Amino acid sequence: MRREVFEAHYDAVYKYIRYLTNDTDLTHDLLQETFYRFYQKNYTEYERTYLMKIARNLVYDHYRRKKIIGFFQLKTEPIAVGDLPETVVERNADNEKLYTALQQIKWNYREVIVLRYIEEYSVKETAMILSCSEVKVKNNTARGLKALRELLGGEEDV
């Protein structure tokens, strides 16, 4: 059971923590602690949601201790599977603009945008992870998207 849960959710939890920290070593430490705490509680349903909630709390706790709540830019490696170099460069430039814009919006909006559009959670799942109402998730999503559109000059469909 534990192995299946780990294998099924490792990538999603890793990416989520990585988006919030941009530190590979810290990501691995928090990932390990996330699964450790998850296994201590013996959750039997909504595993991914609980894993994300635990991961979020661990990231918050880490930065709260350091008094550096912030969202750091994630530097991605170029993905060039069958694409022309120009396409890869364009895609990476677009990603760079998006991550730069994400850094400039409120933390609440960033979290919702990452969970809803990058991790592709539903409104209900996002609300469970963030311990808030679905209405708040919808409002923060709309406000976050509006802020991103303004920062990106309204040129891209976020």
Side-chain angles (χ1 to χ4, degrees):
M1 169 74 179
R2 288 183 177 196
R3 185 76 175 164
E4 292 86 20
V5 170
F6 179 80
E7 289 173 355
H9 304 295
Y10 173 85
D11 288 337
V13 177
Y14 176 85
K15 284 193 293 185
Y16 179 64
I17 295 172
R18 178 71 185 197
Y19 275 113
L20 296 177
T21 65
N22 195 34
D23 180 336
T24 306
D25 293 332
L26 178 60
T27 299
H28 286 289
D29 290 344
L30 294 178
L31 184 68
Q32 181 178 355
E33 184 66 20
T34 298
F35 279 98
Y36 175 74
R37 290 186 184 187
F38 177 81
Y39 293 140
Q40 280 184 323
K41 297 289 183 182
N42 290 323
Y43 294 110
T44 56
E45 53 185 31
Y46 304 112
E47 290 103 354
R48 187 170 175 175
T49 302
Y50 284 118
L51 283 166
M52 293 302 217
K53 188 170 188 167
I54 293 167
R56 173 185 181 261
N57 291 339
L58 286 171
V59 170
Y60 263 44
D61 289 346
H62 173 78
Y63 286 116
R64 195 174 294 131
R65 272 188 256 121
K66 290 185 151 212
K67 297 188 189 304
I68 330 174
I69 296 267
F71 187 90
F72 302 100
Q73 182 173 354
L74 175 66
K75 298 290 184 186
T76 58
E77 295 296 319
I79 301 169
V81 180
D83 287 338
L84 296 173
E86 295 83 15
T87 308
V88 173
V89 170
E90 265 183 45
R91 187 181 321 122
N92 287 338
D94 290 343
N95 286 344
E96 188 75 26
K97 284 171 47 178
L98 177 61
Y99 288 122
T100 301
L102 276 171
Q103 287 179 353
Q104 297 173 25
I105 64 175
K106 287 184 174 182
W107 175 264
N108 311 13
Y109 302 161
R110 286 179 218 150
E111 267 193 321
V112 171
I113 298 296
V114 168
L115 287 170
R116 294 277 292 123
Y117 293 99
I118 296 174
E119 294 299 326
E120 298 178 344
Y121 280 101
S122 69
V123 172
K124 185 176 183 176
E125 291 169 326
T126 303
M128 286 179 67
I129 291 168
L130 300 178
S131 300
C132 65
S133 70
E134 292 180 29
V135 172
K136 184 171 182 175
V137 168
K138 290 176 185 177
N139 287 339
N140 284 349
T141 301
R143 291 174 184 154
L145 290 175
K146 180 181 177 190
L148 282 176
R149 279 189 195 98
E150 289 172 4
L151 288 170
L152 294 171
E155 63 191 48
E156 296 186 28
D157 186 20
V158 182

